[in-house]
Amino acid sequence: MSKMRIGIVCHPSIGGSGLVATELGLGLAKLGHEVHFISSVRPFKLIEDSDRLFFHSVEAINYPLFSDPLYTFALTAKIIEVVEQFKLDVVHAHYSIPHSLCAYLAGEITTHKFPTVTTIHGTDVTIVGQDKPLYPLNRFSIHKSTRVTTVSNFQRNYIYSHFDKTKPIEVIHNFIDLTVFSPELADIDVRRKMAKDDEKIVMHVSNFRALKNSDTVIRSFHLLRRKVKARLVLLGSGPDIDNIKLQCEKLGILKYVTFMGDVTHVEHYLPNADCMIQPSYRESFSMVLLEAMACGVPTVSSNVDGIPEVVDEGQSGFMFDPDDAIAMAKSMGQILLDPELQKQMGRAGRLRAAKLFNPERKVEQYIACYREAIQDC
Ligand code: GMT
């Protein structure tokens, strides 16, 4: 089949949708396709351009007349420039707002016509999307996309029930590079940067916003500490961090918590954890849980949204209502006090990640989706 020239518009985030978009682009290039990333910052895993991988930086438009850098129009202009210069066959927009809307506007302006594939990652419809002023923009961008995909069956049903039933939506679950996220990369020197040798590590990775529910992380860890000599390791940063420190101080557990801050290579830290806790209130999928599974780390999480499509209950992890700190503490204790169970769950998680969320299958699904979009255009 002919090789394609594909534009990828994404948030250059270290984890989540930015990681998925970058890994997808790398996988497409490995298969011989030409991939053009369009974003404000070079995706950190895209070390350099090559003969099939290109990065196009969106420069903000700063005129004194305007109160903000007009990023949305700068992005639209950059899509037009790249589409026309490289004659792209398709543009893949990760997130409907603003990326898919910018692709639509660019398509109305360019002389070189192209289809748009939009991937809904969750927050664009469940959080931002429910914001009344943005609701019509979200619905319009979904409707105007040539093809729409999303990352879980839950998310597809959510879009159907809240936005647009007429638009067929394909579910392509997120995926993970099992050579990058692996238990083989556990490293005692890295572990010792986080905890003492005789402390079990409970890890939480987050952007510390309200929906990540750090309150339950702290409360369940506080209860766990009564039974297990454990240390809570927090990766990431965000608006809730200061409150978390205050809450830990009040509970007298601040000395058992390691704040690692933002780390670019979470895969260096994750394999050293004994358990991952992610009690989010909303998650269309949860890359963190899949990353933990790939690293052979059992998970304790909430049971919301797309998470039950990632976690195999009782096998790779345990799931509870987001605020059930008591049950989460109990299941973490069960895992951390039984090394055989911890190993068994870790193995089950990695096998599940390899079987259901491997890059090869998912990249092929996106390629088929692009080809259908090109035919429809
Ligand atoms: O959850 C976030 O705050 C980040 C956001 C993102 O853009 O990465 O995550 C969303 O997309 C991820 C990749 O598809 C999903 O794994 C996350 O579950 C989803 N977050 C939510 O739905 C809250």
Side-chain angles (χ1 to χ4, degrees):
M1 298 277 264
S2 62
K3 299 306 176 204
M4 292 181 279
R5 293 179 297 275
I6 303 155
I8 292 185
V9 186
C10 64
H11 290 301
S13 48
I14 289 175
S17 62
L19 177 66
V20 172
T22 308
E23 293 291 350
L24 172 57
L26 297 173
L28 290 164
K30 235 185 260 173
L31 294 172
H33 301 285
E34 186 181 300
V35 181
H36 294 264
F37 284 94
I38 304 170
S39 184
S40 52
V41 170
R42 176 185 283 272
F44 90 100
K45 287 217 166 182
L46 185 67
I47 314 291
E48 57 194 356
D49 285 10
S50 68
D51 56 347
R52 286 199 291 265
L53 276 167
F54 304 87
F55 168 63
H56 305 277
S57 169
V58 179
E59 310 296 337
I61 300 172
N62 288 306
Y63 289 136
L65 178 65
F66 302 126
S67 58
D68 71 51
L70 294 184
Y71 181 77
T72 302
F73 292 122
L75 174 57
T76 303
K78 184 57 75 176
I79 294 171
I80 291 166
E81 179 194 315
V82 175
V83 161
E84 293 195 332
Q85 184 180 348
F86 296 94
K87 303 290 178 251
L88 297 189
D89 296 303
V90 59
V91 170
H92 186 178
H94 290 260
Y95 269 86
S96 67
I97 291 179
H99 300 151
S100 179
L101 271 177
C102 292
Y104 169 76
L105 183 54
E108 291 296 293
I109 299 168
T110 55
T111 50
H112 174 79
K113 292 307 164 199
F114 62 92
T116 299
V117 172
T118 297
T119 293
I120 303 286
H121 282 277
T123 38
D124 37 357
V125 292
T126 51
I127 314 287
V128 171
Q130 289 311 319
D131 180 317
K132 282 288 158 273
L134 291 174
Y135 183 86
L137 281 76
N138 236 327
R139 190 173 49 191
F140 178 83
S141 87
I142 291 168
H143 192 69
K144 287 294 183 185
S145 301
T146 316
R147 277 283 198 278
V148 179
T149 78
T150 193
V151 299
S152 62
N153 293 301
F154 166 84
Q155 202 57 44
R156 173 172 56 184
N157 297 337
Y158 185 95
I159 299 165
Y160 282 157
S161 54
H162 289 76
F163 285 86
D164 185 335
K165 287 182 179 47
T166 58
K167 192 82 188 171
I169 296 173
E170 181 178 0
V171 175
I172 304 181
H173 284 104
N174 289 328
F175 54 92
I176 191 90
D177 183 338
L178 290 130
T179 61
V180 173
F181 288 85
S182 165
E184 304 300 316
L185 296 178
D187 178 335
I188 187 65
D189 295 331
V190 174
R191 193 186 195 286
R192 284 175 175 155
K193 284 185 189 148
M194 300 187 282
K196 298 187 188 92
D197 288 0
D198 62 351
E199 289 177 317
K200 295 286 187 184
I201 293 181
V202 173
M203 193 171 279
H204 175 65
V205 183
S206 172
N207 54 26
F208 296 97
R209 296 180 186 292
L211 71 84
K212 300 299 182 180
N213 187 9
S214 45
D215 178 62
T216 296
V217 173
I218 304 307
R219 285 188 302 117
S220 61
F221 177 69
H222 178 230
L223 293 169
L224 173 71
R225 274 283 317 171
R226 291 176 184 166
K227 290 215 172 64
V228 180
K229 188 169 186 178
R231 173 161 289 271
L232 177 62
V233 175
L234 301 177
L235 269 61
S237 62
D240 289 354
I241 281 286
D242 290 343
N243 283 340
I244 289 170
K245 288 180 178 167
L246 278 176
Q247 190 183 2
C248 291
E249 205 152 22
K250 271 191 207 137
L251 293 170
I253 55 170
L254 190 57
K255 56 178 179 281
Y256 304 117
V257 184
T258 302
F259 294 84
M260 295 295 290
D262 279 328
V263 294
T264 47
H265 292 278
V266 69
E267 66 271 15
H268 294 165
Y269 301 90
L270 239 165
N272 301 290
D274 296 295
C275 174
M276 174 66 74
I277 178 159
Q278 295 293 124
S280 301
Y281 288 117
R282 306 247 48 168
E283 289 288 0
S284 62
F285 183 88
S286 180
M287 279 303 288
V288 171
L289 290 174
L290 180 56
E291 290 161 357
M293 289 161 62
C295 291
V297 177
T299 65
V300 172
S301 69
S302 53
N303 52 14
V304 300
D305 299 356
I307 289 180
E309 296 172 52
V310 182
V311 174
D312 187 359
E313 172 60 29
Q315 301 301 315
S316 69
F318 296 110
M319 294 181 279
F320 303 98
D321 288 345
D323 290 329
D324 194 344
I326 294 170
M328 288 188 196
K330 191 160 167 275
S331 61
M332 286 195 284
Q334 199 186 340
I335 293 167
L336 299 181
L337 293 171
D338 181 345
E340 198 36 52
L341 175 65
Q342 181 180 339
K343 269 200 215 89
Q344 183 190 320
M345 293 181 76
R347 272 197 300 270
R350 182 155 172 93
L351 279 173
R352 182 175 173 83
K355 186 170 168 234
L356 299 181
F357 306 109
N358 65 71
E360 294 72 27
R361 175 88 191 86
K362 301 304 176 190
V363 172
E364 288 302 338
Q365 276 183 274
Y366 277 115
I367 289 171
C369 182
Y370 297 157
R371 294 200 192 282
E372 286 163 10
I374 292 167
Q375 274 171 2
D376 286 357
C377 187

